[in-house]
Amino acid sequence: MSSVALLIILSLYLALLFFVAHWAEKKGSSKWTNNPYVYALSMAVYCSAWTYYGSIGVAAKSGLNYLPVYIGPIMIIPAWMIILRKIVRISRVNKISSIADFISLRYGNSRSLGAMVTVICLMGILPYIALQLKAIAETFHIVTRTPTEDGFFDDTTTYVAVALALFASYYGTRYVDASEKRKGIVTAVAMESVLKLFFFLLVGLYVTFFVFDGFDDIYQKASLLDNFAEKNTIGGIPQALNWFFLCVLSLFAIFLLP
């Protein structure tokens, strides 16, 4: 695909996101924006570039080691009715909109603690955002079959970062009240989640029944690969401990990343 065609598609997609977010802000009381299904779909922002690159790469190289990333959130979801409800209630009463404010509130609104938590979150989130931008840029070059550029203004990542920053800053900071709902961003992310699910299922069906001849054919061909048996076992106590810590990490990630 040519770079111009892909840029046009991306521009139309970004325009669609802006339109959906703007419509959701205007129709805040609509049943299409003010319902639990939209909120639930927006939580799928947890499945970001890691789902497309990291998780699939781990599954290809290490077999079952990708599962803890999803087992952790599945284990904690039943407890959301208790934990998440308390978090939302405390945040609304005290008008909290960040992890730093939430933790500092627990210790008497300590500003020094809040600043320290902010710095830690910033140091943790910057590499994660960089991973997302790198994934988008590499996907662009893979689809268009163009070489990567080192220049600041020649790099696709620069313009992707600017577009995402404008979107997040406009719809995320337009309200002074920290407890105000960001229905525009939530609805746009929910729509993205629907698209992700649709294309995942579409690609999965295509690969399963058109590239291969069903699940049995996939398993049969995969069993011929090197170290197939090792990749499909937990691997003893050391690997089990690795699974445990990955489950705990992903358990917290489903709360903190969104």
Side-chain angles (χ1 to χ4, degrees), residues 68 71-72 75 234 237-251:
I71 293 176
M75 291 172 59
I234 295 179
I237 295 179
Q239 194 67 14
L241 290 174
N242 187 35
W243 274 49
F244 172 76
F245 287 115
L246 282 175
C247 285
V248 173
L249 180 63
S250 58
L251 182 149

Side-chain angles (χ1 to χ4, degrees), residues 150-156 158-159:
D150 296 330
F152 181 78
F153 293 103
D154 297 329
D155 192 356
T156 311
T158 303
Y159 303 100

Side-chain angles (χ1 to χ4, degrees), residues 5-22:
L6 185 57
L7 285 174
I8 293 174
I9 294 174
L10 291 176
S11 299
L12 292 175
Y13 180 68
L14 288 174
L16 177 63
L17 290 182
F18 273 96
F19 172 77
V20 170
H22 181 73

Side-chain angles (χ1 to χ4, degrees), residues 43-214:
M43 297 298 287
V45 71
Y46 169 74
C47 297
S48 56
W50 169 254
T51 304
Y52 292 94
Y53 286 92
S55 184
I56 295 175
V58 171
K61 293 182 178 180
S62 304
L64 298 179
N65 286 339
Y66 78 97
L67 285 177
V69 178
Y70 304 100
I71 293 176
I74 292 173
M75 291 172 59
I76 197 61
I77 282 176
W80 277 7
M81 292 181 291
I82 300 174
I83 300 175
L84 197 59
R85 183 177 297 175
K86 288 185 177 181
I87 292 176
V88 172
R89 178 176 57 82
I90 295 172
S91 299
R92 283 184 176 178
V93 171
N94 296 278
K95 295 185 177 181
I96 294 172
S97 61
S98 68
I99 300 173
D101 293 337
F102 189 87
I103 296 178
S104 64
L105 177 68
R106 176 64 178 80
Y107 296 94
N109 287 322
S110 174
R111 293 186 178 181
S112 58
L113 178 61
M116 183 175 65
V117 173
T118 301
V119 172
I120 293 174
C121 291
L122 182 63
M123 294 175 62
I125 201 66
L126 281 179
Y128 190 80
I129 295 176
L131 176 65
Q132 317 303 313
L133 297 176
K134 182 180 179 181
I136 295 173
E138 288 187 354
T139 302
F140 179 87
H141 292 296
I142 290 173
V143 174
T144 59
R145 298 181 180 179
T146 55
T148 57
E149 301 290 345
D150 296 330
F152 181 78
F153 293 103
D154 297 329
D155 192 356
T156 311
T157 311
T158 303
Y159 303 100
V160 172
V162 170
L164 294 178
L166 290 174
F167 179 82
S169 60
Y170 180 76
Y171 290 104
T173 61
R174 62 184 304 180
Y175 297 107
V176 178
D177 189 357
S179 62
E180 187 71 25
K181 295 180 180 179
R182 271 64 174 176
K183 293 184 179 179
I185 291 181
V186 171
T187 306
V189 173
M191 188 203 69
E192 278 192 309
S193 300
V194 173
L195 293 177
K196 286 179 183 178
L197 182 60
F198 172 76
F199 285 110
F200 262 128
L201 292 175
L202 188 65
V203 172
L205 290 173
Y206 174 76
V207 171
T208 303
F209 298 104
F210 291 92
V211 177
F212 296 93
D213 190 18

